[in-house]
Amino acid sequence: MDCIHLTNIRCYGYTGYLPEEQVLGQWFEVDVKLWLDISTAAKTDAIEDTLDYRSVISSIQHLVKTAKFALLERLVGAIADSILQQCDRVTQVQVIVSKPAAPIPDFGGRISIELTKAKSNL
Protein backbone atom coordinates (compact mmCIF):
# COMPACT_ATOMS: atom_id res chain seq x y z
CA MET A 1 0.00 0.00 0.00
CA ASP A 2 1.18 3.52 -0.76
CA CYS A 3 1.68 6.25 1.86
CA ILE A 4 1.48 10.00 2.15
CA HIS A 5 3.52 11.56 4.96
CA LEU A 6 2.56 14.94 6.44
CA THR A 7 5.15 16.14 8.93
CA ASN A 8 5.73 19.02 11.30
CA ILE A 9 2.15 20.28 11.36
CA ARG A 10 2.51 22.92 14.08
CA CYS A 11 -0.60 23.82 16.04
CA TYR A 12 -1.33 25.79 19.19
CA GLY A 13 -3.70 23.89 21.43
CA TYR A 14 -5.06 23.33 24.91
CA THR A 15 -4.52 19.64 25.68
CA GLY A 16 -2.70 18.91 28.92
CA TYR A 17 -3.02 17.35 32.33
CA LEU A 18 -2.30 20.56 34.23
CA PRO A 19 -5.18 23.06 34.45
CA GLU A 20 -2.88 25.86 33.19
CA GLU A 21 -2.24 23.91 29.99
CA GLN A 22 -5.94 23.95 29.17
CA VAL A 23 -6.10 27.71 29.80
CA LEU A 24 -2.77 29.04 28.49
CA GLY A 25 -2.17 26.41 25.81
CA GLN A 26 1.08 25.41 24.13
CA TRP A 27 2.56 24.34 20.82
CA PHE A 28 2.11 20.83 19.46
CA GLU A 29 3.65 19.15 16.44
CA VAL A 30 1.78 16.46 14.51
CA ASP A 31 3.10 13.96 11.97
CA VAL A 32 0.78 11.64 10.09
CA LYS A 33 1.32 8.74 7.74
CA LEU A 34 -1.67 7.87 5.57
CA TRP A 35 -1.99 4.51 3.81
CA LEU A 36 -3.99 4.61 0.58
CA ASP A 37 -3.81 3.59 -3.07
CA ILE A 38 -2.29 6.41 -5.14
CA SER A 39 -1.78 4.38 -8.34
CA THR A 40 -4.56 6.11 -10.27
CA ALA A 41 -3.30 9.59 -9.36
CA ALA A 42 0.22 8.54 -10.34
CA LYS A 43 -1.12 7.96 -13.85
CA THR A 44 -3.71 10.75 -14.22
CA ASP A 45 -1.98 13.60 -12.34
CA ALA A 46 -5.46 14.59 -11.09
CA ILE A 47 -6.06 15.65 -7.50
CA GLU A 48 -9.51 14.08 -7.48
CA ASP A 49 -7.78 10.68 -7.85
CA THR A 50 -5.92 11.04 -4.58
CA LEU A 51 -6.31 12.62 -1.16
CA ASP A 52 -6.26 16.40 -0.94
CA TYR A 53 -3.93 16.57 2.05
CA ARG A 54 -4.63 20.27 2.55
CA SER A 55 -7.98 19.22 4.05
CA VAL A 56 -6.26 16.72 6.37
CA ILE A 57 -3.84 19.39 7.60
CA SER A 58 -6.69 21.85 8.16
CA SER A 59 -8.71 19.24 10.05
CA ILE A 60 -5.76 18.39 12.32
CA GLN A 61 -5.08 22.05 13.05
CA HIS A 62 -8.74 22.68 13.87
CA LEU A 63 -8.93 19.67 16.19
CA VAL A 64 -5.75 20.57 18.08
CA LYS A 65 -6.88 24.20 18.44
CA THR A 66 -10.37 23.38 19.72
CA ALA A 67 -9.88 20.19 21.79
CA LYS A 68 -9.31 20.38 25.53
CA PHE A 69 -8.23 16.89 26.50
CA ALA A 70 -6.22 16.02 29.60
CA LEU A 71 -4.06 13.43 27.82
CA LEU A 72 -2.01 13.42 24.64
CA GLU A 73 -3.19 9.84 24.18
CA ARG A 74 -6.75 11.12 23.79
CA LEU A 75 -5.69 13.80 21.30
CA VAL A 76 -3.77 11.25 19.20
CA GLY A 77 -6.81 8.95 19.17
CA ALA A 78 -9.16 11.78 18.21
CA ILE A 79 -6.91 12.80 15.30
CA ALA A 80 -6.65 9.21 14.03
CA ASP A 81 -10.41 8.65 14.26
CA SER A 82 -11.15 11.96 12.55
CA ILE A 83 -8.90 11.18 9.59
CA LEU A 84 -10.25 7.65 9.16
CA GLN A 85 -13.86 8.88 9.32
CA GLN A 86 -13.37 11.84 6.96
CA CYS A 87 -11.09 10.28 4.34
CA ASP A 88 -12.69 7.42 2.42
CA ARG A 89 -9.45 6.56 0.58
CA VAL A 90 -7.33 6.16 3.73
CA THR A 91 -7.23 2.58 5.01
CA GLN A 92 -4.79 3.10 7.87
CA VAL A 93 -3.22 6.05 9.67
CA GLN A 94 -0.25 6.59 11.93
CA VAL A 95 -0.37 9.72 14.08
CA ILE A 96 2.47 11.12 16.18
CA VAL A 97 1.72 14.09 18.41
CA SER A 98 4.66 15.79 20.11
CA LYS A 99 4.77 18.30 22.91
CA PRO A 100 8.08 20.10 22.32
CA ALA A 101 8.01 22.03 25.61
CA ALA A 102 6.13 19.96 28.17
CA PRO A 103 5.86 21.74 31.54
CA ILE A 104 7.92 19.19 33.47
CA PRO A 105 10.61 20.52 35.84
CA ASP A 106 14.22 19.82 34.78
CA PHE A 107 13.10 18.22 31.48
CA GLY A 108 14.18 19.83 28.24
CA GLY A 109 13.15 17.05 25.88
CA ARG A 110 9.99 16.45 23.95
CA ILE A 111 7.16 14.02 24.61
CA SER A 112 5.63 12.14 21.70
CA ILE A 113 2.73 9.71 21.51
CA GLU A 114 2.34 7.46 18.46
CA LEU A 115 -0.79 5.58 17.41
CA THR A 116 -1.40 3.43 14.35
CA LYS A 117 -5.01 2.59 13.53
CA ALA A 118 -6.74 0.88 10.61
CA LYS A 119 -10.16 1.81 9.28
CA SER A 120 -11.33 -1.68 10.24
CA ASN A 121 -10.69 -0.80 13.91
CA LEU A 122 -13.20 2.09 14.00
Side-chain angles (χ1 to χ4, degrees):
M1 188 57 57
D2 311 311
C3 292
I4 294 175
H5 297 251
L6 306 173
T7 61
N8 290 330
I9 303 167
R10 287 184 43 87
C11 319
Y12 200 85
Y14 300 90
T15 291
Y17 181 72
L18 300 174
E20 314 79 78
E21 293 179 281
Q22 292 192 5
V23 173
L24 300 174
Q26 61 197 300
W27 286 102
F28 294 88
E29 294 173 358
V30 181
D31 298 332
V32 296
K33 183 175 181 180
L34 309 164
W35 280 265
L36 67 156
D37 181 359
I38 63 166
S39 61
T40 302
K43 294 174 189 167
T44 65
D45 196 29
I47 197 165
E48 58 270 5
D49 292 330
T50 189
L51 175 71
D52 185 349
Y53 36 83
R54 295 173 299 180
S55 64
V56 175
I57 293 168
S58 178
S59 176
I60 290 168
Q61 290 172 327
H62 177 73
L63 185 55
V64 172
K65 287 176 188 176
T66 60
K68 284 196 176 189
F69 300 123
L71 301 178
L72 276 180
E73 290 85 345
R74 178 67 181 102
L75 179 58
V76 167
I79 292 170
D81 289 346
S82 173
I83 292 169
L84 290 171
Q85 290 169 358
Q86 292 176 17
C87 305
D88 292 339
R89 295 179 188 272
V90 175
T91 59
Q92 183 172 300
V93 64
Q94 177 188 64
V95 179
I96 302 170
V97 174
S98 299
K99 217 185 235 195
I104 299 173
D106 301 319
F107 177 72
R110 69 190 299 118
I111 296 171
S112 297
I113 304 291
E114 178 179 325
L115 174 79
T116 303
K117 191 170 190 178
K119 189 164 277 196
S120 60
N121 293 341
L122 278 180

